[in-house]
Amino acid sequence: MHDFEITPREAQRRREVTGAVLVDVREEHERDTGMAEGARGIARGELEQEAEHHFHDRDTRLVLICQSGARSMLAAEALRRRGYRNVASVCGGTLRWIAEGLPMVRPEPPAQPRDEDFHQRWSRHLLLPEVGMRGQKRLAMARVLMLGAGGLGSPAAFYLAAAGVGELRIVDDDVVERSNLQRQILHTDADVGVRKVDSARARLSALNPRMRIDAVAERLTSANVERLLEGVDVVIDGADNFPVRYLLNDACVRLGIPLVYGAVQQFDGQVSVFDAGRHRGVAPCYRCLFPEPPPPGAAPNCSEAGVLGVLPGVVGMLQATEALKLLLDVGEPLRGRLLHFDALGMRFRETRLTPDPACALCAPGVEFPGYIDYAAFCAG
Ligand SMILES: [Zn+2]
C-alpha cells in the first residue's frame, strides 16, 4: 500500500471524526449506481483541473475514492503536486467499500435528464483530466473552418467529428473525381461526380450525428473570406494551394484566429500553426516565411507531382491534433515551429520559425494591407 492509501473503514472514520471530505472521483454515470455514504461526486478530470475552485484551502483534509483505487490514487498524487498536503486515497475503492459492508447512498436524480449519448460517445475523453467534462463541452461549443474536403481535409474532418467538435464549416467547390479516392477518404466510389461538401456531410453525419455541418460549395476569394471565417475558433488549411493559403493567412492575422497549416508533396509533408493575429510580434505568420507566392510556373504542377496517398492522411491528422489542442488549450502548439515529415525515411524534423519584424502583414503596428487574389496555378 502507498503511504497515502487508507482502508475504506479508515476513510469512513476520518470523514466522521476529523471532518475529512470524501470525494468520489468517478464519472457521473459511474456514480449513478451508488456512492460511499457521505461522498461528494467530482469527476477526476474536473477535480484535477479545478481543485482550487472546489477546495480553496490547501490544508483541507481530502479522501478520494474511485471504483477500484487506481484513479483516486493518481488524482491524489496530482493534488499533492499542487500543494494539497492532506490527501488520501481509498485502497480498493468503492468495490472494497461495498465488500466490507460499509453504507452506500444513491445520488439524487439530476434535475435535468442526463445526456447519455454525450457521456457514452466521449467517455474516453471524459477520462482524460486534460479534456474531461469541461474540455468536452468546450469542443461542443467550438466552430472549426475546414478549407477543403480533400486529402488533408478528409482525415482532419473525420477526427474532428469523432472528437465532438460542435460545428464544422466545410468549404470546397469541387466535385469528387475517381483520382481523388486514393487519398480523400471522406468520399467513396459512389460519390464520383457529387459535390465534395455533400459527400463529406453525409459521411461525417453518419459518424457523429450531433455535429452541425455547414457545407459551403464556394471557392474561397477575397470577397467571401471574412464571411466564411465569421465566428470560427480555428481554421484548418486543407486546400494546399497558394491563393487560398495567403487569403487564409491574411484573414486569420486580421481576425485573430489561429491557422493550422498543412502541405504535402510526393513523400514529404509539413505542418505548423500560424497564430500571429493573437500573438503579434511573438508568433510568425505564413508571410513571415514566404512574403509572396512563387511566380506561376515556378512551383511544380501539383497534379503532375503526385503524392503518396497515405501522406495527406498523416499530415491531416497532425493538423486535427493541433486544432483540438488549440480548442482545448492544452499542450504546446506548433506555434513558431515548422514540422517536416519525410515518409520515405520515416523521420520528423522541426524548424524554428520566428516572426519577421518587417513582415508587411503581421509586424506590430502595421496596417492591414488588404486582400490579394493570387492567380490559381495549382489546385489542391
Ligand atoms: Zn508575418
Side-chain angles (χ1 to χ4, degrees), residues 243-379:
V244 164
R245 182 163 303 146
Y246 281 94
L247 275 178
L248 284 181
N249 178 69
D250 297 0
C252 284
V253 169
R254 185 176 198 198
L255 303 175
I257 303 172
L259 171 66
V260 184
Y261 153 81
V264 290
Q265 195 180 25
Q266 299 187 17
F267 300 96
D268 298 316
Q270 293 187 338
V271 192
S272 191
V273 170
F274 294 110
D275 205 357
R278 299 191 302 173
H279 303 273
R280 290 258 174 177
V282 178
C285 82
Y286 186 71
R287 279 189 195 273
C288 293
L289 210 62
F290 302 110
E292 299 285 334
N301 183 319
C302 297
S303 56
E304 284 170 16
V307 61
L308 186 71
V310 70
L311 179 71
V314 174
V315 172
M317 279 197 272
L318 292 172
Q319 289 180 283
T321 310
E322 286 305 298
L324 290 172
K325 281 163 56 189
L326 288 165
L327 294 173
L328 292 166
D329 198 15
V330 297
E332 190 188 342
L334 266 178
R335 194 181 285 148
R337 298 187 284 149
L338 182 64
L339 185 69
H340 306 261
F341 172 54
D342 160 20
L344 287 181
M346 195 49 82
R347 280 190 186 90
F348 286 93
R349 184 165 58 81
E350 195 179 300
T351 318
R352 282 256 150 224
L353 300 179
T354 48
D356 177 359
C359 178
L361 185 78
C362 78
V366 163
E367 216 168 288
F368 184 68
Y371 293 111
I372 307 167
D373 285 299
Y374 293 108
F377 51 83
C378 174

Side-chain angles (χ1 to χ4, degrees), residues 74-96:
L74 293 170
E77 283 172 349
L79 291 189
R80 280 170 169 255
R81 280 195 298 275
R82 289 173 72 154
Y84 286 84
R85 285 170 282 271
N86 301 309
V87 191
S89 167
V90 178
C91 182
T94 305
L95 291 175
R96 184 165 163 197

Side-chain angles (χ1 to χ4, degrees), residues 145-324:
L145 175 74
M146 182 77 245
L147 209 293
L152 298 170
S154 285
F158 262 132
Y159 273 97
L160 294 179
V165 167
E167 183 172 333
L168 194 63
R169 183 174 294 159
I170 310 179
V171 180
D172 197 310
D173 70 333
D174 264 347
V175 296
V176 178
E177 294 174 29
R178 189 155 278 114
S179 66
N180 299 152
L181 304 179
Q182 165 248 24
R183 63 201 178 281
Q184 303 185 14
I185 57 170
L186 269 173
H187 318 294
T188 67
D189 197 70
D191 298 317
V192 171
V194 172
R195 295 196 308 186
K196 284 187 182 175
V197 287
D198 294 332
S199 162
R201 175 171 30 205
R203 215 71 68 235
L204 296 170
S205 303
L207 174 59
N208 174 8
R210 301 176 69 110
M211 185 165 74
R212 294 180 302 282
I213 299 171
D214 186 9
V216 185
E218 292 178 35
R219 178 170 287 269
L220 188 83
T221 66
S222 59
N224 65 11
V225 63
E226 290 206 355
R227 169 166 59 80
L228 293 173
L229 262 67
E230 203 181 322
V232 163
D233 301 297
V234 171
V235 173
I236 298 183
D237 176 8
D240 198 13
N241 70 64
F242 289 111
V244 164
R245 182 163 303 146
Y246 281 94
L247 275 178
L248 284 181
N249 178 69
D250 297 0
C252 284
V253 169
R254 185 176 198 198
L255 303 175
I257 303 172
L259 171 66
V260 184
Y261 153 81
V264 290
Q265 195 180 25
Q266 299 187 17
F267 300 96
D268 298 316
Q270 293 187 338
V271 192
S272 191
V273 170
F274 294 110
D275 205 357
R278 299 191 302 173
H279 303 273
R280 290 258 174 177
V282 178
C285 82
Y286 186 71
R287 279 189 195 273
C288 293
L289 210 62
F290 302 110
E292 299 285 334
N301 183 319
C302 297
S303 56
E304 284 170 16
V307 61
L308 186 71
V310 70
L311 179 71
V314 174
V315 172
M317 279 197 272
L318 292 172
Q319 289 180 283
T321 310
E322 286 305 298
L324 290 172

